[in-house]
Amino acid sequence: MNNHANDAPPTLRDVAAAAGVSLATADRVVNGRPGVSAKTARKVHEAVQRLAFRPLAAAAELARSRSWRFAVVLPGGGNRFMMDIADNVRAQADWLRARRIGVEIVETDVFDADRLAAELAALPGRFDAVALVALDHPRIRAAIDDLVEAGMAVVTLVSDAPSSRRQHYVGIDNIAAGRTAGSLVGRFLGPPRGNERGAVGIVTGAGSLRDHAERRFGFGQVLAEEYPQLIRLTPVEGRDDPDRNRELVRRMLADTPNLVAIYNTGEGSVGIGEALAEAGLARRILCVGHELTPATRRMLLDGTFAALVAQDPGHEARSMVRVLHALVAGQEIVAAQEHIRVQVILRDNLP
Amino acid sequence: MNNHANDAPPTLRDVAAAAGVSLATADRVVNGRPGVSAKTARKVHEAVQRLAFRPLAAAAELARSRSWRFAVVLPGGGNRFMMDIADNVRAQADWLRARRIGVEIVETDVFDADRLAAELAALPGRFDAVALVALDHPRIRAAIDDLVEAGMAVVTLVSDAPSSRRQHYVGIDNIAAGRTAGSLVGRFLGPPRGNERGAVGIVTGAGSLRDHAERRFGFGQVLAEEYPQLIRLTPVEGRDDPDRNRELVRRMLADTPNLVAIYNTGEGSVGIGEALAEAGLARRILCVGHELTPATRRMLLDGTFAALVAQDPGHEARSMVRVLHALVAGQEIVAAQEHIRVQVILRDNLP
DNA sequence: TGCGATTTGAGGTGCGCAACTCAAAAATTG
DNA sequence: CAATTTTTGAGTTGCGCACCTCAAATCGCA
C-alpha cells in the first residue's frame, strides 16, 4: 500500500522544486506568511500534498529556538493524588529540559475562589501556558477566560470548568466514573436476598469541586435505574480528610443497621477502612473508592475495598505537558493518546 | 526547589567552558568517542552534572540525520484486535514521517512457526528494528535471538517470548488479566445459593499462544483459590473463530445444565453471544471476554457480556513505536509511560 | 504608457549538535 | 634525550528549517 518507496523524506527544497517556485515562496506558504498570490499558494499546497511533505520535527523545533514556561496550579495540603501528579511532572524534568520547556508547580488553595483567581491573574507575562485544577465557580471561569484572552494556553486538570474558554481538559469523565462505581457496587452486592433492602452510604469531598459532584450524580443514576432495591443515604462531606471520614462512617454505622456498602467519591478512604475495622465490619461491608494510593492499595489487597475507580496520574501529568506544548507550539493533539481512561482496579490488576 | 533559575538551558559549549576543555573534547566525552584521558573525561562529566546538561533533542536528532525502518509482524486473517493495532500504527504516519521513521506492516501466519521464522530471517538488512506477535516456540525463540545477534532491536507485542533475547515486551501481564477475569466472574456471580454448584465454561483460542495460556492459568488460579464452589469445565479451543465458538457453546449449553458463566480468553466472542441468544440464555449466563471490538462493545451494551478485560491497541501501537525508536536511537525508555494496563471495561466506562 | 503596489527570487544567518580533519601540545617510551 | 604515541584544541561542514533582507520581476490601475 506504500506509494513513494523512495526512501528519503522530501524536504522543503523538494517541495519548492516540485511546485516550480523558490524556496522562499514555499516557505512563505508553508508557514502562512503573507505576500503570496492565491495561485502560487495553491501550487505549493498541491506539491505539499503530492510529496506528502512534513517539516522535520527536529529541524523545525531547532530553528524556532523558542523556550516555553508552563505553570501547573495544584491544590496544596498534602492530597496524595495531587502529590502524585506533581511527582510525575517533576519526573519529566529531563524530557522537558531537552525540549526547552520549564514547568513551575504552583500550590494553592483551590477551594478558595478569590485566592485561586488572584493566583491565576498573576500568571500572564510570566508563563506561556497554564494547567489548573479548576473550581467550578463564576470567578474562576472569568479568571480562566482572562488568561485565554491574554493569549495563554489553558487546560483544566482532573476537575473541569467546561463553561470556560479553556482549550482542553485533561482528566476523566467523572459521570462515567461514578456510574462505573455504581455498577460495581450493584453487581458485587448481587441480587437482593429476600425482602431486606440494603443501604448504601456515600462519602464525598466537597460540593464545590465539579468532579465529586459528577461522580455522585453518575453513581446515583445507576443505582436508581438498575438497583432500585438499594437505599441511597444522603451523601456526607468529609472534605477528603481521613479523620473526618472516620468520624462520619462511625456515625453512619451506628445509625444504619442495614448498611451494605459505602462509596467514597474522593480521597481519605483510609478513614473509612479504620472505622470499619474498629467495628469489625471490614470485608463485610462492600467498599468502592477512587484513586490508587499506598493506602487504597493496601486496603484493596486486604479486601477492605473491593474495587477502585481510578485515573492514572502519570498519564495525566504527561498528557498535560504534551497538550500544553502542542497548544503553544501550534502542533496537533493526538486525541486518542490524550484520552484519560476510567480505570477499574481490582486486587488482581493492580499495576 | 529550582537551582539554576538562569533560564536558557546550557549548551555543549557551556559544558566545555565550565570544564575548561575545548568543544571537541567535550563532544568526545559526551558521545563516548575515544581518545580522551580519564582525568579529562571526569572533568567533563562533572561539568555535565553541575550544569544539568542535556543535549537538545531536536538538535541531536537533526545532526544525526539518520532514518529508521521498522517492521511490525502481525497475524493476518482478519483478527479484529490485530487490525486495530495495524490501524493505529498507520494512524501515526505523519508523526513517523516527521521523525524519519518508516514502518512496514508484515502480515503472516503466526501460528505456523516455520513460516514465521522464515519471515523473521528475511528482515535483517532491510530493517533496523522489529516488533512481532511472538509464538512461544523454540524455533521462534531462536529466530528472535538471531535478529538480536544481527544487531536489530526486537520487541514482542501482545504475546511475549520471555525466554528469548527480545529487548522489550509491549503488552499486558496476561496472568493478571486472567486473574482479573476470574475475580469478575466470581464476584459477579455472588455467594453460592444453597448447595447447587455452578459450572464455568472456558473458551480459548489456541494452546500455542502464550497469552491465552497465561490467561487460563490466572483465571483458574483465582477460581480455585477464591471460589471453590464453582466447577471449571475443561477449556474448549475455538481458535478465535466466531463460528467455531458458536458451535462449541451450543454443545456446552446442551451438555451443562448447571452452566452459570462463560469466560472467553480470546477473540470471537460474538459466536458465544449468538449461541446464548439462540438458547434464550443471553444475560442469564454471565459472560466475560477480552478486548474491545465493535462486536464486544455491542454485547457489553446489551448486557450479553458483563465485563471485558482489555488492553488498548492504540497505546500498544504508539508504545511499540516509541520503544523501538528509543532502542535504536539509544534513548531512554520511560517505563511508566510504556506500561500497558489490564483494563476492566464495564458498560459504564466504555471509552 | 508609466506609476506604484504586489509578488517572487536569491541569498544569508542561526538554531545546537554530530562527526570529522589536521595540527599542536603533552605524555609516554626506549 | 629523542622518538613515538596519546591527548587536546581549533576549526569546518552539514542536518532542515524559520526568519529575515533586498532586489528584481510582475501586476493592476490610471
Side-chain angles (χ1 to χ4, degrees):
Chain A
M1 301 300 158
N2 267 330
N3 354 19
H4 326 273
N6 191 346
D7 220 345
T11 69
L12 189 56
R13 184 169 253 100
D14 299 326
V15 171
V21 302
S22 72
L23 219 167
T25 299
D27 171 70
R28 287 185 184 107
V29 174
V30 167
N31 290 296
R33 272 183 275 277
V36 180
S37 70
K39 204 177 65 179
T40 312
R42 196 161 37 73
K43 282 198 298 183
V44 174
H45 280 131
E46 278 171 14
V48 166
Q49 289 298 317
R50 193 145 34 87
L51 303 185
F53 168 78
R54 300 238 90 202
L56 187 65
E61 196 180 324
L62 180 60
R64 254 186 269 269
S65 159
R66 284 213 48 175
S67 61
W68 308 105
R69 289 160 308 166
F70 297 167
V72 180
V73 181
L74 297 178
N79 179 311
R80 181 71 218 194
F81 178 74
M82 295 301 168
M83 289 167 64
D84 274 356
I85 289 189
D87 287 346
N88 273 288
V89 171
R90 291 192 201 95
Q92 296 180 83
D94 281 358
W95 190 92
L96 292 165
R97 280 189 82 80
R99 280 156 191 80
R100 290 200 192 93
I101 302 173
V103 176
E104 190 170 312
I105 297 173
V106 180
E107 291 201 355
T108 186
D109 183 353
V110 291
F111 291 97
D112 181 341
D114 290 328
R115 170 110 184 268
L116 177 54
E119 203 88 65
L120 294 180
L123 297 176
R126 304 202 300 123
F127 294 96
D128 304 297
V130 203
L132 74 150
V133 178
L135 194 64
D136 200 22
H137 186 286
R139 199 159 303 150
I140 301 306
R141 194 191 59 196
I144 290 176
D145 290 353
D146 288 347
L147 293 178
V148 175
E149 198 61 45
M152 302 182 73
V154 181
V155 313
T156 48
L157 188 60
V158 180
S159 190
D160 195 12
S163 58
S164 73
R165 292 172 56 196
R166 93 281 185 279
Q167 284 101 333
H168 192 92
Y169 164 57
V170 176
I172 57 173
D173 174 345
N174 282 297
I175 295 182
R179 291 187 60 95
T180 303
S183 278
L184 288 169
V185 166
R187 296 211 78 137
F188 281 7
L189 286 175
R193 333 191 131 251
N195 282 338
E196 22 155 355
R197 295 186 66 195
V200 177
I202 301 173
V203 178
T204 191
S208 59
L209 275 180
R210 193 182 180 90
D211 52 353
H212 287 205
E214 290 182 340
R215 289 174 189 174
R216 284 197 306 274
F217 176 76
F219 186 80
Q221 240 185 3
V222 168
L223 258 61
E225 287 169 12
E226 310 278 329
Y227 307 98
Q229 77 279 10
L230 294 173
I231 299 166
R232 274 169 295 142
L233 301 179
T234 306
V236 292
E237 294 197 10
R239 297 201 218 160
D240 291 339
D241 178 36
D243 295 333
R244 279 208 192 77
N245 284 350
R246 192 192 316 115
E247 202 44 54
L248 290 170
V249 172
R250 271 189 193 138
R251 225 172 303 156
M252 189 185 288
L253 291 172
D255 297 349
T256 325
N258 59 335
L259 191 75
V260 291
I262 299 177
Y263 170 46
N264 180 13
T265 70
E267 293 254 326
S269 286
V270 68
I272 297 173
E274 288 164 2
L276 289 175
E278 282 173 14
L281 289 171
R283 308 189 56 158
R284 303 191 49 81
I285 287 186
L286 176 72
C287 289
V288 171
H290 277 271
E291 312 317 350
L292 186 61
T293 65
T296 54
R297 170 185 286 272
R298 189 167 33 74
M299 293 191 297
L300 202 56
L301 286 170
D302 73 19
T304 304
F305 272 68
L308 297 172
V309 177
Q311 51 196 321
D312 183 343
H315 188 185
E316 292 181 327
R318 290 185 292 271
S319 178
M320 176 206 78
V321 170
R322 277 195 303 262
V323 167
L324 287 178
H325 186 230
L327 286 172
V328 294
Q331 292 172 4
E332 219 173 324
I333 294 174
V334 182
Q337 179 171 211
E338 311 310 349
H339 178 245
I340 312 290
R341 293 281 184 115
V342 175
Q343 299 177 346
V344 174
I345 305 187
L346 309 179
R347 205 188 44 185
D348 306 286
N349 67 334
L350 267 172
Chain B
M1 300 303 159
N2 269 329
N3 353 18
H4 327 273
N6 191 345
D7 219 345
T11 69
L12 189 57
R13 183 168 255 101
D14 299 327
V15 171
V21 303
S22 73
L23 219 168
T25 300
D27 171 70
R28 288 183 183 108
V29 174
V30 168
N31 290 296
R33 271 183 276 277
V36 180
S37 69
K39 203 175 66 178
T40 312
R42 196 160 37 72
K43 281 198 298 183
V44 174
H45 281 133
E46 279 171 13
V48 166
Q49 290 295 319
R50 193 144 35 85
L51 302 185
F53 168 77
R54 304 236 87 203
L56 187 65
E61 196 181 323
L62 180 59
R64 254 186 270 270
S65 154
R66 285 212 48 177
S67 62
W68 308 105
R69 288 160 310 166
F70 298 167
V72 179
V73 182
L74 297 178
N79 179 310
R80 183 71 218 195
F81 178 73
M82 294 301 168
M83 288 167 65
D84 274 356
I85 290 189
D87 287 345
N88 274 288
V89 171
R90 292 192 200 96
Q92 296 180 85
D94 282 356
W95 191 92
L96 292 164
R97 280 191 82 79
R99 279 155 193 79
R100 290 201 193 92
I101 301 174
V103 176
E104 191 170 311
I105 297 174
V106 180
E107 291 201 357
T108 186
D109 183 354
V110 291
F111 292 96
D112 181 340
D114 289 327
R115 169 108 185 269
L116 178 54
E119 203 89 63
L120 295 180
L123 298 177
R126 305 201 300 123
F127 295 97
D128 305 295
V130 202
L132 75 151
V133 178
L135 193 64
D136 201 22
H137 186 288
R139 199 159 304 149
I140 302 305
R141 194 190 62 198
I144 291 176
D145 290 353
D146 288 346
L147 294 178
V148 175
E149 197 62 45
M152 301 182 73
V154 181
V155 314
T156 48
L157 189 60
V158 180
S159 190
D160 195 14
S163 58
S164 73
R165 291 172 57 196
R166 94 281 185 279
Q167 283 101 333
H168 192 91
Y169 164 57
V170 176
I172 57 173
D173 175 345
N174 282 298
I175 295 183
R179 292 187 59 97
T180 303
S183 278
L184 288 169
V185 166
R187 295 211 79 138
F188 281 7
L189 286 175
R193 334 191 129 248
N195 282 337
E196 22 155 353
R197 296 185 66 196
V200 178
I202 301 173
V203 178
T204 191
S208 58
L209 276 180
R210 191 181 182 92
D211 51 354
H212 288 204
E214 290 182 340
R215 289 174 189 174
R216 285 197 306 274
F217 176 76
F219 185 80
Q221 240 186 1
V222 168
L223 257 60
E225 286 169 12
E226 310 278 331
Y227 307 98
Q229 78 279 9
L230 294 173
I231 299 166
R232 275 170 294 141
L233 301 179
T234 307
V236 292
E237 294 197 10
R239 298 202 218 159
D240 291 338
D241 178 37
D243 296 334
R244 279 208 192 77
N245 285 349
R246 192 192 317 116
E247 200 45 53
L248 289 169
V249 172
R250 273 189 191 138
R251 223 172 305 157
M252 188 185 287
L253 291 172
D255 297 350
T256 325
N258 59 333
L259 190 74
V260 291
I262 299 178
Y263 170 46
N264 180 13
T265 69
E267 294 253 326
S269 286
V270 68
I272 297 173
E274 288 164 0
L276 289 174
E278 282 172 15
L281 289 171
R283 309 188 55 158
R284 302 192 48 83
I285 288 186
L286 176 73
C287 290
V288 171
H290 278 271
E291 312 318 351
L292 186 62
T293 66
T296 55
R297 169 185 287 270
R298 189 166 34 73
M299 293 192 295
L300 201 56
L301 286 170
D302 73 19
T304 305
F305 272 67
L308 297 172
V309 177
Q311 51 195 322
D312 182 343
H315 188 187
E316 292 181 327
R318 289 185 293 272
S319 178
M320 175 206 79
V321 170
R322 277 196 302 263
V323 167
L324 288 178
H325 186 232
L327 287 172
V328 294
Q331 293 172 3
E332 218 172 326
I333 294 173
V334 182
Q337 181 172 209
E338 311 311 348
H339 178 246
I340 312 291
R341 292 281 184 117
V342 176
Q343 299 176 347
V344 174
I345 305 187
L346 309 179
R347 205 188 43 185
D348 306 287
N349 68 333
L350 266 173

